[in-house]
Amino acid sequence: MTAQVLAPKERKVAQRRIALTGNHAVALAVKMCRPEVIAAYPITPQTPVVERLAEYVNNGELDAEYIPVESEHSAMSAVIGASAMGARTFTETASQGLGHMYENLPIAVGLRLPIVMGMAVRTYSAPINVWGDYSDVMSMRELGWIIYLTQTAQEAFDTVIQAYRVAEDSRVHLPVVVAYDGFWTSHVLQPLEVPEDEEEVMRFAPITRSWVKLDVDRPVSIGAVGTPEWYWEIRWQAVEALRGSIKVIEEVDEEFGKVFGRSYGLAVPYRLENAELAIVTYGSIFGLVKKAVDRLRAEGVRAGALRLRVIRPWPRDLLRKLLGHVDKVVVIDRAINHGGPLYGPMAVELEATLARPVYNVLATVGMRAIDTDMIYEGALKAYRGQWVPDEVYTIGLRGGP
Amino acid sequence: MRIETVWLGRGGQGIVTATYIIANAAILDGFYAMANPEFGAERRGAPVKAFLTISKEPFDDQEPVKTPDVVVVFDDKLIEPMRFAIDAAKPGGYVIVNTAKKPEEVKRLVGRNDVYLVVLDAIDIARRHVKLDVPNGPLAGAFAKVMGFPRLESIRQAFENQLGKAVEENFAATKEAYETAVVIPPERVDPTAKPRGIISTTSAFLTGPYELVGWAEVNKAGAVYPGTSLPYTTGGWRIDKPVIDHSKCIMCRKCWLYCPDDAVIEAWKEIEGPRGRKIRMKAIEFDYNYCKGCGICADVCPTGAIQMVREI
Ligand code: SF4
Ligand code: SF4
């Protein structure tokens, strides 16, 4: 499953292979990162994460304050407060829960708090749909959070650990969200490599407490008013921190590879060398996309694929490098950019990045099932000119374009 | 014709309302007008700046006024700190000042001989008609007098539209100011001369004192470290100041207890006693740097030792 990253790396840390669902893998990673305050409200499909964390705290495996808040708004408020006190924090949400905590999300950015949040992505109501697509996390793009989109339980586990290291780096000090597919990752049981010695995780990502925090020995007011003379400058610091975090994200990922044997990069290319067509997507469906690429290659189509992993900060230069030579870029988006210039959020951003039209395809909306054949057929339509760039196409929508 | 004006005052004095009243009345008279106040700390007493532009032609630009035709100063203590605005007034323009001071003294304070100087005691007028320290009605009246518009009847209607209450009281204040404001014409106007400065687009001067620095030097996350509000001499907000008659004071210290600003102080005082002996004794004084002139001390004093005296 993570074939592209596992094999060749030399690893320093002894690990064992267990089997866990994505949710429980995330909970385990969080436990190993030893957050001091956890505040979360359960919502499908992340509920098993917060339940498992509550168990860890209850049975003494994790020494943390667990605040069973009455809503996501309170969850984000509580971790903002705790983080401002200097605590390592964790929360998790999805969909409507994210919507409910929304007003606090930009506050975490402006206060430069290294909060780590998990997200088992889920679409937005209505109609009520508890299943996975990326509508929720995509609505966070403008806020200044670092955003990781992961593919597997293993990657979600690894990325949570990386996230703490990145967030608390004194060059960054920004909140991070680690997203993974609701159900297709959160509830899928997969193999998972975990360190034999949990302390290895804390050695890799020790709590830095380097951020601006409330401290009785060094009093400070946090969250004061920012009049028009000051607001932009303070916000610009967060803009620059996010821009600069790309280097830290890469560094941390590389070092994680050296210690744990797995690294992912900002984006994950697949058979892109000499490709004339590339399928770009994100999340759990990348396994299917790779199979479709293999089939296209077998039939003589020079196809490749790319998985977006870090979308904030946007790895513009890398994407230009990886996709610059590719003639046809087919972007399979898993969230709808309602009424936008293109109907897929990542299609818009890739078009802006590559400065040329891309193929705009929507799939898995509301967790509509997809398989390799459907992806293969879509790619073929683009390859043969039945699809044209800049028009919206769908894979799996009955009667859809 | 396009008249650009800037109004300078303090939170709570009705600056914004004054510009709304004039704009509303001007619109009733068929002009195009825009009153765009700059909202700052939303705090009583904090300096406030508002722009008011009136034109015969339609316009939609909210251009910050840099060299106004008219500068209205709600408080003569603002003349010095806001001199940049007075300097920015166009030669041949108008400076309208609310003050209890004599016109010649105001002329000396303003220090310009190439503008029309308009002097009125808007506080006194407002106190008599509206029973409040809001000089906006009288200043609107003074504005209408020197500019020739808006019509008084339109101002009455504007009070009706904007306030919906105390219309007659406010209008009476406007009318009195219209009739009594003193206008000192310029000694000479060089129509080709440029104003001596411009009003900057930042409002830092309204919320300072501090230095504006680039984003990289601003405290991270906007954190505010312990400092002091000592440089914020809030005494500048005063309209009346407390004055004590020590012969009536019985040192009960009620004024000290009730002053919300810690501005009542006990100071050692040397007095001459019987047979010329020098005696040191404690006496009530005021810290005028921070006394906001609320009048509570005068209110609670059981012997009437404290009087509130007009300061602006
Ligand atoms: S007028 Fe108000 S602020 Fe000034 S000394 Fe009296 S009570 Fe204090
Ligand atoms: S309240 Fe009046 S009498 Fe009492 S100390 Fe103050 S000034 Fe003196």
Side-chain angles (χ1 to χ4, degrees), chain B residues 15-28:
Chain B
I15 292 274
V16 175
T17 310
T19 57
Y20 285 175
I21 296 286
I22 301 274
N24 198 317
I27 290 166
L28 292 174

Side-chain angles (χ1 to χ4, degrees), chain A residues 173 219-221 229-230 237 240, chain B residues 203 211 215 218 220-221 223-224 226:
Chain A
H173 291 157
V220 60
S221 296
E229 280 79 43
W230 296 103
Q237 296 175 345
E240 286 291 331
Chain B
S203 290
E211 196 197 340
W215 67 267
V218 176
K220 186 166 176 181
V224 181

Side-chain angles (χ1 to χ4, degrees), chain A residues 110-112 170 172-173 210-212 218-224 227-230 232-234 236-237 240, chain B residues 38-41 201-204 207 210-226:
Chain A
L111 297 181
R112 308 295 300 281
S170 58
V172 179
H173 291 157
S210 55
W211 55 99
V212 178
R218 200 179 177 225
V220 60
S221 296
I222 294 175
T227 58
E229 280 79 43
W230 296 103
W232 196 359
E233 280 73 18
I234 293 163
W236 197 254
Q237 296 175 345
E240 286 291 331
Chain B
E38 204 164 79
F39 291 98
T201 51
T202 134
S203 290
T207 45
Y210 46 65
E211 196 197 340
L212 289 174
V213 292
W215 67 267
E217 285 131 81
V218 176
N219 286 352
K220 186 166 176 181
V224 181
Y225 293 95

Side-chain angles (χ1 to χ4, degrees), chain B residues 238 240-242 255 258-264 286-287 290-298 306 308:
Chain B
R238 255 188 336 260
D240 299 303
K241 71 173 181 181
C255 52
Y258 278 89
C259 172
D261 274 295
D262 237 358
V264 174
F286 305 99
D287 185 343
Y290 304 106
C291 161
K292 296 200 190 78
C294 67
I296 290 172
C297 52
I306 301 174
M308 299 303 290

